[in-house]
Amino acid sequence: LTARIARLDLGLSMLLIGRDPAWLLRASGGHLGYAEAVPIHRTAGWWCAGQSALHSVAYLLFYLQVDGWAGLWHYCFPTVAYLSDSTSINSLGLVNFFGVVAFIALIPLAIPAWPPLRRRVYQVFQRLHVAGAAVFVLCCAMHDLPILLFAVPGLAAWYVEWRGRAGGGS
């Protein structure tokens, strides 16, 4: 459940990443603007981070309880399968490894977003946040491909807006 909630939060947060999400806010009949988009993006982002962290910690604890440290290593890292005679890399460990990296990517994504720190060094926050978000979304997509259904609309809207600013509308 936490992963599904995180998907929705990510989708909402990504829809509002542009500097002018006017195409989205026009749907409100002019009642919402950029001033309302920023707190929605911020809240959805924190909820996404919280639900993602909860999902990660719950599964790490689950794998630790089921098979101990060896099982945790097997289920969360792309190691050679220790439960069989195969020498191939276990696919569950590979997929979950991307989830572990996404969990770690939450740190540089969340720490600079802490309000007192963000206000003090906004340029650092912005650069770390964009790079951290790219790593987070990429690793989440490698861990759980359907998350792209939630991330791509916001990325596409941001790209179209960015190209419009950079290319003068061409």
Side-chain angles (χ1 to χ4, degrees), residues 74-140:
H74 170 74
Y75 291 123
C76 295
F77 294 94
T79 59
V80 174
Y82 82 102
L83 297 175
S84 68
D85 295 332
S86 173
T87 58
S88 63
I89 293 177
N90 70 42
S91 58
L92 179 62
L94 179 63
V95 168
N96 284 338
F97 176 70
F98 286 111
V100 170
V101 175
F103 177 58
I104 293 168
L106 280 175
I107 296 167
L109 190 60
I111 289 176
W114 186 50
L117 190 58
R118 184 185 67 237
R119 283 189 288 269
R120 187 174 301 136
V121 286
Y122 186 79
Q123 296 300 328
V124 172
F125 153 74
Q126 191 175 31
R127 288 194 175 99
L128 281 175
H129 198 70
V130 170
V135 171
F136 178 73
V137 171
L138 179 65
C139 289
C140 284

Side-chain angles (χ1 to χ4, degrees), residues 18-112:
R19 291 185 184 171
D20 184 23
W23 66 272
L24 179 65
L25 299 174
R26 270 195 298 267
S28 72
H31 299 317
L32 296 177
Y34 182 72
E36 290 82 17
V38 171
I40 294 169
H41 168 81
R42 191 176 300 143
T43 302
W46 279 112
W47 273 99
C48 177
Q51 292 296 329
S52 297
L54 185 61
H55 172 79
S56 298
V57 169
Y59 269 97
L60 290 171
L61 291 174
F62 171 74
Y63 290 138
L64 188 61
Q65 180 188 18
V66 167
D67 260 340
W69 290 105
L72 179 68
W73 183 259
H74 170 74
Y75 291 123
C76 295
F77 294 94
T79 59
V80 174
Y82 82 102
L83 297 175
S84 68
D85 295 332
S86 173
T87 58
S88 63
I89 293 177
N90 70 42
S91 58
L92 179 62
L94 179 63
V95 168
N96 284 338
F97 176 70
F98 286 111
V100 170
V101 175
F103 177 58
I104 293 168
L106 280 175
I107 296 167
L109 190 60
I111 289 176

